[in-house]
Amino acid sequence: MRALTTLVCCLFLTLVSACETSNNTSETSIQNNTVPNRQVAAQKLDDESPQPGNWLTGGGDFQQAYFSPLEQINRKNVAKLGYAWHIDLPSEHGYEATPLMVDGVLYGSGPQGIAFAVDASTGESLWQFNPEINPQFMRKVCCGVVNRGVAIAEETLFVAALDGYLFALDKNDGAVVWRADTFIDRNRGYTITGAPYIANDLVIIGNAGAEFDARGYITAYDIYTGELRWRFFTVPGSPNPPFEHPELEVAATTWDPDSLWEVGLGGTVWDAMAFDPELNLLYVGTGNAAPYPRKLRSPEGGDNLYLASILAINPDNGQLVWHYQTTPGDNWDFTATQKFILATLDIGGRPRQVLMQAPKNGFFYVLDRASGELISAEPYAQVNWASHIDSETGRPVETSQAEYFYEPKLIFPGPQGAHNWQPMSYNPDSGLVYIPVKEAGAIWTMPTESFTYQQGGLNSHSQYIFTTPGEWGLDSALAKTLPPLEVLGAGQPDTTIRGFLRAWNPVTQTLAWERETSGPWIGNMNAFWNGGGVLSTAGGLVFQGRGTGELVALDADTGETLHQIVVGASMMAAPMSYSVGGIQYIALLTGVGGGNGNDYVPGMAAYTYGNAGRMIAFKLNGGEVPKRPEILYADTSKAPPAVPRQGSSGQIAKGEALFLRNCAKCHANIDGRGAGIPDLRRMSGDTHKAFAQIVLEGTLAERGMGNFSDLLNADQVESLHVYLIDEAWRLFDEGVQGGEWHAPEQDLP
């Protein structure tokens, strides 16, 4: 098979380009200018053997398998697993990180980039760190104010803040050792939601913002001093030299010279990274394009490197060794940022060092991690945008269903992906990979208005709805302009939205078993958000948290449910396991977010108990989890909107277009209560009075609703307000005629 790789040979080290101005270099604030001669407190990540007691990276060790070699908790006794301790955390935004554990201390992170240390035996809080971000950056997130974890090297803990600063903290007390500004342009839509990663003496960090106008890159900093050592851009900034590094000259040939360079083009690295110390290769997964439609951003086509790609980089100099592009010419938000697993598999009668990934596009990839050679790729979910991956070229073979630029198309998977950020797990004992899978297509179409670039605003410029009732689906205004689902779905996969935990054999590329995780929401968007990240253990177990509030333990070989713990909190992060004092624990963070209101509907634990975060630990012979009081909601089902109808039909139509571009990514207008992002059709009278000030002055910035004065003027805000009032009355009228109209007890930002 011919590998789809790029072997880049350079005669010089790839450093930060001399073309970068002082405004584009990192600001580093050194709190401690001496480089200490530190002893490594934790066992090194380059030790091939997993360290049973500790949990040193998000995925446990350098293999990132989310696998624990501990077996005190096993199939025979897991029914005795119960509550050990918990600690309450300070945010109601989602918690997506998996904690680390080193020498009896748990280290975690949360929304905005908060970090904390906890005694792993008792749950006693040792210290907390708040980066005190600029709240305006909360406006620039696409998918929730979240953080996916910390990294640790020797005596230093690293965490990235939402507003772009990378912090090195003393792991003993949380004091700041140094701080670096990682953003090259603070006026664009950059944020950081991902975890830093360690490679040798470097800490690597990426960023998010491809739905806005970010140009993707990663930056490597010296772990001791915060000095910027190199930066690697994932897409070119121009079709013409000078390029920041030679790999971009190769990439530029895969873009139309008339591409929308001013939009940044995306390719952000917002999650997946791994490091193989033996091969000395850093693996990086890149994200989607900006804008989404390829015929808009690069009209003459091209693969658009290095979007939706797996990159292998030499951390000593920042040079690309090989690349594999999972989705050439990405058109569907099919990121390759999902977690990597490094493993050794027996393939064709010999051991192969492989990298495995289940990216959003629906194919499970097994690559030779030394060369980038494609070993195999098969669909692990319903796929109709491509028929298969060509084994010779490594490229997907697209179908006629893939292109929506000229007419609406029902495409599988949808933009949420067949697998998103929730970590999968590989168990070397069973030989299976456990994947939280989302079965859901989406109907894609192009907006009627032409594209206009907004600096720092949303620039994805495509529209999609899901195949489900509701405002994100078949009851939306957009749905009324499209052919019916019966027409669009003719001859296509089953459109029923569902979630699964699938056990996948990576050698044979076949399904071993599956268990549905849809909860009570088969056919509804919550079906694919209910299943969280996965942990597997040498005790023959698989653990997964659910949005409905249960931590579930399954048999790793058969998928049989062996035990469920009612946690009383919605979960999406992957659990981890560690041991202290001869006792094995299972621990995880609770709290959901990023689902545009779908996280807080009846049936979700966050709806019943609220969404304030917790870290919870479990052990054998533990007790019941203490739950928060249930939230009481006022019944305002017959209450009319707080203000009368107003505005012209033209003003309402203008407001709808503004809402779809600037607001709908967060405010989905879904009837979700609890701690969710509010449905703006349910605003109180006081909020209506303050509407212009909230939007244009940022009076609720501290609560996540930033200032939009750089994107909207007063007339536009008035049109937006009129549209929301009209929507409130439409909903009320429909409720009076055939259903109840629900409103939350309190008005939230």
Side-chain angles (χ1 to χ4, degrees), residues 41-43 53-57 100-107 120 152 154 157 171 576 578:
Q43 291 166 298
N54 290 328
W55 190 272
L56 302 178
T57 73
L100 311 187
M101 205 291 289
V102 179
D103 297 338
V105 178
L106 284 160
Y107 301 94
I152 196 164
E154 304 181 4
L157 190 79
K171 76 180 183 68
M576 50 82 76
Y578 63 93

Side-chain angles (χ1 to χ4, degrees), residues 67-76 427 429 537-541:
F67 169 78
S68 170
L70 299 174
E71 52 188 347
Q72 184 181 86
I73 301 167
N74 55 57
R75 293 183 182 97
K76 294 180 179 180
N427 187 321
D429 297 333
T537 75
L541 299 171

Side-chain angles (χ1 to χ4, degrees), residues 353-377:
Q353 291 182 304
V354 304
L355 177 150
M356 298 184 284
Q357 188 189 45
K360 288 171 72 173
N361 73 9
F363 290 93
F364 188 95
Y365 293 86
V366 180
L367 304 181
D368 184 300
R369 70 176 185 261
S371 67
E373 175 194 357
L374 173 67
I375 296 173
S376 64

Side-chain angles (χ1 to χ4, degrees), residues 410-581:
L410 172 62
I411 299 173
F412 288 81
Q416 81 293 331
H419 170 223
N420 208 291
W421 64 266
Q422 291 88 345
M424 61 186 188
S425 172
Y426 171 65
N427 187 321
D429 297 333
S430 69
L432 300 176
V433 178
Y434 306 95
I435 315 170
V437 176
K438 310 172 195 310
E439 290 283 16
I443 300 168
W444 287 82
T445 188
M446 291 294 294
T448 55
E449 69 273 10
S450 59
F451 175 73
T452 302
Y453 169 54
Q454 287 185 335
Q455 185 180 41
L458 285 164
N459 289 287
S460 53
H461 198 71
S462 61
Q463 296 176 318
Y464 56 82
I465 58 172
F466 292 98
T467 57
T468 178
E471 293 295 330
W472 269 100
L474 302 176
D475 296 324
S476 64
L478 176 60
K480 295 175 174 59
T481 70
L482 301 174
L485 180 61
E486 293 76 15
V487 173
L488 293 170
Q492 301 307 317
D494 180 6
T495 60
T496 305
I497 295 177
R498 304 174 79 170
F500 293 91
L501 176 60
R502 287 193 171 138
W504 192 258
N505 187 320
V507 176
T508 62
Q509 288 277 17
T510 56
L511 180 68
W513 55 258
E514 68 178 13
R515 293 295 176 267
E516 185 152 4
T517 59
S518 302
W521 299 294
I522 293 176
N524 182 286
M525 285 176 65
N526 285 80
F528 64 63
W529 290 125
N530 192 40
V534 184
L535 165 73
S536 65
T537 75
L541 299 171
V542 174
F543 292 92
Q544 184 184 40
R546 304 276 167 81
T548 45
E550 302 84 30
L551 177 65
V552 182
L554 304 96
D555 188 297
D557 291 333
T558 68
E560 177 188 357
T561 297
L562 301 177
H563 187 45
Q564 293 190 77
I565 299 174
V566 178
V567 177
S570 293
M571 293 159 280
M572 57 182 179
M576 50 82 76
S577 189
Y578 63 93
S579 66
V580 176

